Amino acid sequence: MKRPRIRILATGGTIAGSAGSALRRGYRPGQIGVEDLLASAATLEIDAEFDGREIAAIGSQDIGWREWDALYREITAALEDEAVDGVIVTHGTDTAEETAFLLDLALPAGKPVVLVGAMRPADAVGSDGMRNLANAARVAGDAGAAHRGVLVVMSDHVFAAIDVRKAATGGTEAFRGFPRGPIATVTPTSLDWFGPADRLGRPARFPWPESLPKVMILTAYAGMEADTVGCALASGAQGIVLAGLGQGNAPATVIEALAAAKVAVVRSSRVDQGSVDRNLEVDDDELGFVAARALGPAKARILLQVLIASGITDPAAMQSEFDRR
């Protein structure tokens, strides 16, 4: 049986991080290059063939358009290469959900594309990086991973990009999924899917943009003042995501300022988990707002950026995209 050929695209992060001591708390991300990652993977005797490309060597808090554009182009080339069976992106955990979701919106649901990271640097006691990488290889080389969109592998679980989020600042079990939890469990020697692939034949949802417009996230809090909206607009924001209280709410003066703004407004929630629905406490129909539904503020921002870049600015059309799964 032919061994799967997997391309690893490295961006840095904790999985490539080093503390210089097994017990040191602080560390620097992105210190281990892709060739060293490949060498470490080789010692695990993973049943796959690898090649690698280094996109960046940064912490994911610094990732942005330049890295995303390079990743998209490298992944597209890999998906078009008949010799490549799947792609792994090594990535920091802080913004993994944003990168995964952006790529998921603009890639066809064909060969497996898997993001993987680590919560502990490579030289720490109990480092999870190599186990996560071995798990990601198991997923990326599995025919059952095709036609599921972009996936994220962490802590022996597989998450869909649209569901995944980082829900804890520390610990190897930091990732969760909403509204679905994990869609599979994985170890270096096993993989169990919880259901069939649901995107067979689905093309890319959006074209890859030439750039992403500026969209700001405003977090609501008790006593929030309306001038925060003006500050966002003055900075050149073409859209605003409200990380609102509860069901995406905010003080009345802030809601009024958002309604008066001449930009797209999406209501999400600062609450870790739950949906924001239309027309509950806030009259979205009257005010021209969009409800983020199950997307948290970070992903709502990504989708709003892509929508604006694609020329979709009508609130009703935007809402239909936020309603999609």
Side-chain angles (χ1 to χ4, degrees), residues 167-235:
T169 60
T172 57
E173 299 282 341
F175 277 71
R176 300 286 186 273
F178 180 82
R180 293 181 297 178
I183 61 173
T185 56
V186 60
T187 74
T189 57
S190 65
L191 175 59
D192 293 296
W193 297 102
F194 299 158
D198 58 357
R199 298 195 188 182
L200 183 63
R202 184 181 296 185
R205 185 169 162 185
F206 297 100
W208 186 251
E210 294 183 4
S211 62
L212 289 175
K214 187 171 187 176
V215 171
M216 303 284 284
I217 298 175
L218 299 183
T219 300
Y221 48 88
M224 182 183 186
E225 297 180 348
D227 61 2
T228 56
V229 177
C231 291
L233 297 174
S235 74

Coordinates of all heavy atoms in Angstrom, one line a residue, residues 167-235:
A167 N -10.2 27.7 24.0 CA -11.1 28.0 25.1 C -10.4 28.2 26.4 O -11.1 28.5 27.4 CB -12.2 26.9 25.2
A168 N -9.1 27.9 26.5 CA -8.3 28.0 27.7 C -7.0 28.6 27.4 O -6.4 28.3 26.3 CB -8.2 26.7 28.4
T169 N -6.4 29.3 28.3 CA -5.1 29.9 28.1 C -3.9 28.9 28.3 O -2.8 29.1 27.8 CB -4.8 31.1 29.0 OG1 -4.9 30.6 30.4 CG2 -5.9 32.2 28.8
G170 N -4.2 27.8 29.0 CA -3.1 26.8 29.2 C -3.7 25.4 29.3 O -4.9 25.2 29.3
G171 N -2.8 24.4 29.3 CA -3.2 23.0 29.4 C -3.4 22.5 28.0 O -3.8 23.2 27.0
T172 N -3.1 21.2 27.9 CA -3.2 20.6 26.5 C -4.6 20.3 26.0 O -4.8 20.1 24.8 CB -2.4 19.2 26.6 OG1 -3.0 18.3 27.5 CG2 -0.9 19.4 26.9
E173 N -5.6 20.5 26.9 CA -7.0 20.3 26.5 C -7.7 21.7 26.2 O -8.8 21.9 26.6 CB -7.8 19.5 27.5 CG -7.2 18.1 27.8 CD -7.7 17.1 26.7 OE1 -8.6 17.4 26.0 OE2 -7.0 16.1 26.6
A174 N -6.9 22.6 25.6 CA -7.4 24.0 25.6 C -8.4 24.2 24.4 O -9.0 25.3 24.4 CB -6.2 24.9 25.4
F175 N -8.6 23.3 23.5 CA -9.4 23.6 22.4 C -10.8 22.9 22.5 O -10.9 21.8 23.0 CB -8.7 23.1 21.1 CG -7.8 24.1 20.6 CD1 -6.6 24.4 21.2 CD2 -8.1 24.9 19.4 CE1 -5.7 25.4 20.8 CE2 -7.2 25.8 18.9 CZ -6.0 26.1 19.6
R176 N -11.8 23.6 22.0 CA -13.2 23.1 22.1 C -13.8 23.4 20.7 O -13.3 24.1 19.9 CB -14.0 23.8 23.1 CG -13.5 23.7 24.6 CD -13.7 22.3 25.1 NE -13.3 22.2 26.5 CZ -12.1 21.8 26.9 NH1 -11.2 21.6 26.0 NH2 -11.8 21.8 28.2
G177 N -15.0 22.8 20.5 CA -15.8 23.1 19.3 C -17.2 23.5 19.7 O -17.8 23.0 20.6
F178 N -17.7 24.4 18.9 CA -19.1 24.9 19.1 C -19.7 25.3 17.7 O -19.0 26.0 16.9 CB -19.3 26.0 20.0 CG -20.7 26.5 20.2 CD1 -21.5 25.8 21.1 CD2 -21.2 27.5 19.5 CE1 -22.8 26.2 21.3 CE2 -22.5 27.9 19.6 CZ -23.3 27.2 20.5
P179 N -20.9 24.9 17.3 CA -21.8 24.1 18.1 C -21.6 22.6 18.2 O -22.1 21.9 19.0 CB -23.2 24.4 17.4 CG -22.8 24.7 16.0 CD -21.5 25.4 16.1
R180 N -20.7 22.1 17.2 CA -20.3 20.7 17.3 C -19.1 20.7 18.2 O -18.2 21.6 18.1 CB -20.0 20.1 16.0 CG -21.2 20.0 15.1 CD -20.8 19.4 13.7 NE -19.9 20.2 13.0 CZ -19.3 19.9 11.8 NH1 -19.6 18.7 11.3 NH2 -18.5 20.7 11.2
G181 N -18.9 19.6 18.9 CA -17.6 19.3 19.5 C -16.7 18.7 18.5 O -16.8 19.0 17.3
P182 N -15.7 17.9 18.9 CA -14.8 17.3 17.9 C -15.6 16.4 17.0 O -16.7 15.8 17.3 CB -13.9 16.5 18.8 CG -14.6 16.3 20.1 CD -15.4 17.5 20.3
I183 N -15.1 16.2 15.8 CA -15.7 15.4 14.8 C -15.0 14.0 14.6 O -15.5 13.2 13.9 CB -15.8 16.1 13.4 CG1 -14.4 16.4 12.8 CG2 -16.7 17.3 13.5 CD1 -14.5 17.0 11.4
A184 N -13.9 13.9 15.4 CA -13.2 12.6 15.4 C -12.3 12.6 16.6 O -11.9 13.6 17.1 CB -12.4 12.4 14.1
T185 N -11.9 11.4 17.0 CA -10.8 11.2 17.9 C -9.6 10.6 17.2 O -9.8 9.8 16.2 CB -11.2 10.3 19.1 OG1 -11.7 9.0 18.6 CG2 -12.3 11.0 19.9
V186 N -8.4 10.9 17.6 CA -7.2 10.5 16.8 C -6.1 10.2 17.8 O -5.9 11.0 18.8 CB -6.8 11.5 15.8 CG1 -6.5 12.8 16.4 CG2 -5.7 11.0 14.9
T187 N -5.3 9.2 17.6 CA -4.0 9.0 18.2 C -3.0 8.7 17.1 O -3.4 8.5 16.0 CB -4.1 7.8 19.2 OG1 -4.1 6.6 18.5 CG2 -5.3 7.9 20.1
P188 N -1.8 8.5 17.5 CA -0.8 8.2 16.4 C -1.1 6.9 15.7 O -0.6 6.6 14.6 CB 0.5 8.2 17.1 CG 0.3 9.2 18.3 CD -1.1 8.9 18.7
T189 N -1.9 6.0 16.3 CA -2.2 4.7 15.7 C -3.6 4.4 15.4 O -4.0 3.4 15.0 CB -1.7 3.6 16.7 OG1 -2.3 3.7 17.9 CG2 -0.2 3.7 16.8
S190 N -4.5 5.4 15.6 CA -6.0 5.2 15.4 C -6.6 6.5 15.0 O -6.2 7.6 15.3 CB -6.6 4.6 16.6 OG -6.6 5.6 17.7
L191 N -7.8 6.4 14.3 CA -8.6 7.5 13.9 C -10.0 7.1 13.8 O -10.3 6.1 13.0 CB -8.1 8.1 12.6 CG -8.9 9.2 11.9 CD1 -9.0 10.4 12.8 CD2 -8.2 9.6 10.6
D192 N -10.9 7.7 14.5 CA -12.3 7.3 14.5 C -13.2 8.6 14.2 O -13.3 9.5 15.0 CB -12.7 6.7 15.8 CG -12.1 5.4 16.1 OD1 -12.3 4.4 15.3 OD2 -11.3 5.3 17.1
W193 N -13.8 8.6 13.0 CA -14.7 9.7 12.6 C -16.1 9.4 13.2 O -16.5 8.3 13.3 CB -14.8 9.7 11.1 CG -13.5 10.1 10.4 CD1 -12.7 9.2 9.7 CD2 -12.8 11.3 10.3 NE1 -11.5 9.8 9.3 CE2 -11.6 11.1 9.6 CE3 -13.1 12.6 10.8 CZ2 -10.7 12.2 9.4 CZ3 -12.3 13.6 10.5 CH2 -11.1 13.4 9.8
F194 N -16.7 10.5 13.6 CA -18.0 10.4 14.2 C -19.2 10.5 13.2 O -20.3 10.3 13.5 CB -18.2 11.5 15.2 CG -17.2 11.5 16.4 CD1 -17.0 12.6 17.1 CD2 -16.6 10.3 16.7 CE1 -16.1 12.6 18.2 CE2 -15.7 10.2 17.8 CZ -15.4 11.4 18.5
G195 N -18.8 10.7 11.9 CA -19.8 10.8 10.9 C -19.2 10.9 9.5 O -17.9 11.1 9.4
P196 N -19.9 10.8 8.4 CA -19.3 10.9 7.1 C -18.9 12.3 6.7 O -19.4 13.3 7.3 CB -20.5 10.4 6.2 CG -21.7 10.7 6.9 CD -21.4 10.6 8.4
A197 N -18.1 12.4 5.7 CA -17.7 13.7 5.2 C -19.0 14.4 4.6 O -19.8 13.8 4.0 CB -16.7 13.5 4.1
D198 N -19.1 15.7 4.9 CA -20.3 16.4 4.6 C -20.1 17.5 3.5 O -21.0 18.3 3.3 CB -20.9 17.1 5.8 CG -19.9 18.0 6.5 OD1 -18.8 18.2 6.0 OD2 -20.3 18.7 7.5
R199 N -18.9 17.5 2.8 CA -18.7 18.5 1.8 C -18.2 17.9 0.5 O -17.5 18.6 -0.3 CB -17.7 19.5 2.3 CG -18.1 20.3 3.6 CD -17.2 21.5 3.8 NE -17.4 22.1 5.1 CZ -16.7 23.2 5.4 NH1 -15.8 23.8 4.6 NH2 -17.0 23.7 6.6
L200 N -18.7 16.8 0.2 CA -18.2 16.1 -1.1 C -18.6 17.0 -2.3 O -19.8 17.4 -2.5 CB -18.9 14.7 -1.2 CG -18.5 13.9 -2.4 CD1 -17.0 13.6 -2.3 CD2 -19.4 12.6 -2.5
G201 N -17.6 17.3 -3.1 CA -17.8 18.1 -4.3 C -18.0 19.5 -4.1 O -18.3 20.3 -5.0
R202 N -17.9 20.0 -2.8 CA -18.2 21.4 -2.6 C -17.0 22.3 -3.0 O -15.9 22.1 -2.5 CB -18.5 21.7 -1.1 CG -18.9 23.1 -0.8 CD -19.2 23.3 0.7 NE -20.4 22.6 1.1 CZ -20.9 22.7 2.4 NH1 -20.3 23.5 3.2 NH2 -21.9 22.0 2.7
P203 N -17.2 23.3 -3.8 CA -16.1 24.2 -4.2 C -15.8 25.2 -3.1 O -16.5 25.2 -2.1 CB -16.6 24.8 -5.5 CG -18.1 24.9 -5.2 CD -18.5 23.6 -4.5
A204 N -14.8 26.0 -3.4 CA -14.5 27.1 -2.4 C -15.7 28.0 -2.3 O -16.4 28.3 -3.3 CB -13.3 27.9 -2.9
R205 N -16.0 28.4 -1.1 CA -17.2 29.2 -0.8 C -17.0 30.6 -1.3 O -17.9 31.3 -1.8 CB -17.4 29.2 0.7 CG -18.6 29.9 1.1 CD -18.9 29.7 2.6 NE -19.8 30.6 3.2 CZ -20.1 30.6 4.5 NH1 -19.6 29.7 5.3 NH2 -21.0 31.5 5.0
F206 N -15.7 31.1 -1.3 CA -15.4 32.5 -1.7 C -14.1 32.4 -2.5 O -13.2 31.6 -2.2 CB -15.3 33.5 -0.6 CG -16.5 33.7 0.2 CD1 -16.7 33.0 1.4 CD2 -17.5 34.5 -0.3 CE1 -17.9 33.2 2.2 CE2 -18.7 34.7 0.5 CZ -18.9 34.1 1.7
P207 N -13.9 33.4 -3.4 CA -12.6 33.5 -4.1 C -11.6 34.1 -3.0 O -12.0 34.8 -2.1 CB -12.8 34.5 -5.2 CG -14.0 35.2 -4.8 CD -14.9 34.3 -4.0
W208 N -10.3 33.8 -3.2 CA -9.3 34.3 -2.3 C -9.2 35.8 -2.6 O -9.0 36.3 -3.8 CB -8.0 33.7 -2.6 CG -6.9 34.1 -1.6 CD1 -5.8 34.9 -1.9 CD2 -6.8 33.8 -0.2 NE1 -5.1 35.1 -0.7 CE2 -5.7 34.4 0.3 CE3 -7.7 33.0 0.7 CZ2 -5.3 34.3 1.7 CZ3 -7.3 32.9 2.0 CH2 -6.1 33.6 2.5
P209 N -9.3 36.7 -1.6 CA -9.3 38.1 -1.8 C -7.9 38.6 -2.2 O -6.9 38.0 -1.8 CB -9.8 38.7 -0.5 CG -9.5 37.7 0.5 CD -9.6 36.4 -0.2
E210 N -7.9 39.8 -2.8 CA -6.6 40.4 -3.1 C -6.0 41.1 -1.8 O -4.8 41.2 -1.6 CB -6.7 41.5 -4.2 CG -7.1 40.9 -5.5 CD -7.2 42.0 -6.6 OE1 -6.9 43.2 -6.3 OE2 -7.5 41.7 -7.7
S211 N -6.9 41.4 -0.9 CA -6.5 42.0 0.4 C -7.8 41.9 1.3 O -8.9 41.5 0.8 CB -6.1 43.4 0.3 OG -7.1 44.2 -0.2
L212 N -7.6 42.1 2.6 CA -8.7 42.1 3.5 C -8.9 43.5 4.0 O -8.0 44.2 4.5 CB -8.4 41.1 4.7 CG -8.4 39.6 4.3 CD1 -8.0 38.8 5.6 CD2 -9.8 39.2 3.9
P213 N -10.2 43.9 4.0 CA -10.5 45.3 4.5 C -10.4 45.3 6.1 O -10.4 44.3 6.8 CB -12.0 45.5 4.1 CG -12.5 44.1 4.0 CD -11.4 43.2 3.5
K214 N -10.3 46.5 6.6 CA -10.1 46.7 8.0 C -11.5 46.6 8.7 O -12.4 47.3 8.4 CB -9.6 48.1 8.3 CG -9.2 48.4 9.8 CD -8.5 49.7 10.0 CE -8.0 49.8 11.4 NZ -7.2 51.0 11.6
V215 N -11.6 45.6 9.6 CA -12.8 45.4 10.4 C -12.3 45.4 11.9 O -11.4 44.7 12.2 CB -13.5 44.1 10.0 CG1 -14.6 43.7 11.0 CG2 -14.0 44.2 8.6
M216 N -13.0 46.1 12.7 CA -12.7 46.3 14.1 C -13.6 45.4 14.9 O -14.8 45.3 14.6 CB -12.7 47.7 14.5 CG -11.9 48.7 13.7 SD -10.1 48.6 14.1 CE -10.1 49.4 15.7
I217 N -13.1 44.9 16.0 CA -13.9 44.2 17.1 C -14.0 45.2 18.3 O -13.0 45.6 18.8 CB -13.3 42.9 17.5 CG1 -13.2 41.9 16.3 CG2 -14.1 42.3 18.6 CD1 -12.6 40.6 16.6
L218 N -15.2 45.5 18.7 CA -15.5 46.3 19.8 C -16.1 45.4 20.9 O -17.1 44.8 20.7 CB -16.4 47.5 19.5 CG -15.9 48.5 18.5 CD1 -17.0 49.6 18.3 CD2 -14.6 49.0 18.8
T219 N -15.4 45.3 22.1 CA -15.9 44.5 23.2 C -16.8 45.3 24.1 O -16.4 46.4 24.6 CB -14.8 43.9 24.0 OG1 -14.0 43.1 23.1 CG2 -15.3 43.0 25.1
A220 N -18.0 44.9 24.3 CA -18.9 45.6 25.2 C -18.6 45.3 26.6 O -18.1 44.3 27.0 CB -20.4 45.2 24.8
Y221 N -19.0 46.3 27.5 CA -18.8 46.2 28.9 C -19.7 47.2 29.6 O -20.2 48.1 29.0 CB -17.3 46.5 29.3 CG -16.8 47.8 28.6 CD1 -16.9 49.0 29.2 CD2 -16.1 47.7 27.4 CE1 -16.4 50.2 28.6 CE2 -15.6 48.8 26.8 CZ -15.8 50.1 27.4 OH -15.3 51.2 26.8
A222 N -19.9 47.0 30.9 CA -20.8 47.9 31.6 C -20.2 49.3 31.6 O -19.0 49.5 31.9 CB -20.9 47.5 33.1
G223 N -21.0 50.3 31.2 CA -20.5 51.7 31.2 C -19.8 52.0 29.9 O -19.3 53.1 29.8
M224 N -19.8 51.2 28.9 CA -19.2 51.4 27.6 C -19.9 52.7 27.0 O -21.1 52.9 27.1 CB -19.5 50.3 26.7 CG -18.8 50.4 25.3 SD -19.3 49.0 24.3 CE -18.3 49.3 22.8
E225 N -19.0 53.6 26.4 CA -19.5 54.8 25.8 C -19.5 54.7 24.3 O -18.7 54.0 23.7 CB -18.6 56.0 26.3 CG -18.7 56.2 27.8 CD -17.8 57.3 28.3 OE1 -17.0 57.8 27.5 OE2 -18.0 57.7 29.5
A226 N -20.4 55.5 23.7 CA -20.6 55.5 22.3 C -19.4 56.0 21.5 O -19.3 55.7 20.3 CB -21.8 56.3 21.9
D227 N -18.5 56.7 22.1 CA -17.4 57.3 21.3 C -16.4 56.2 20.9 O -15.6 56.4 20.0 CB -16.6 58.4 22.1 CG -16.0 57.9 23.4 OD1 -16.1 56.7 23.7 OD2 -15.4 58.7 24.1
T228 N -16.5 55.0 21.4 CA -15.7 53.9 21.0 C -16.0 53.5 19.5 O -15.2 53.2 18.7 CB -15.9 52.6 21.8 OG1 -17.2 52.3 21.8 CG2 -15.4 52.9 23.2
V229 N -17.3 53.7 19.1 CA -17.7 53.5 17.7 C -17.1 54.5 16.8 O -16.5 54.2 15.8 CB -19.2 53.5 17.6 CG1 -19.7 53.4 16.2 CG2 -19.9 52.4 18.5
G230 N -17.1 55.8 17.3 CA -16.5 56.9 16.5 C -15.0 56.6 16.3 O -14.4 56.9 15.2
C231 N -14.3 56.1 17.3 CA -12.9 55.9 17.2 C -12.6 54.8 16.2 O -11.7 54.9 15.4 CB -12.3 55.4 18.6 SG -12.3 56.7 19.8
A232 N -13.5 53.8 16.1 CA -13.3 52.7 15.1 C -13.5 53.3 13.7 O -12.7 53.0 12.8 CB -14.3 51.6 15.4
L233 N -14.5 54.1 13.6 CA -14.8 54.7 12.2 C -13.6 55.6 11.8 O -13.2 55.6 10.7 CB -16.1 55.4 12.2 CG -17.3 54.5 12.5 CD1 -18.6 55.4 12.6 CD2 -17.5 53.5 11.4
A234 N -13.1 56.4 12.8 CA -12.1 57.3 12.5 C -10.8 56.6 12.1 O -10.0 57.2 11.3 CB -11.8 58.2 13.7
S235 N -10.6 55.4 12.5 CA -9.4 54.6 12.2 C -9.5 54.0 10.8 O -8.6 53.4 10.3 CB -9.1 53.6 13.2 OG -10.1 52.5 13.1

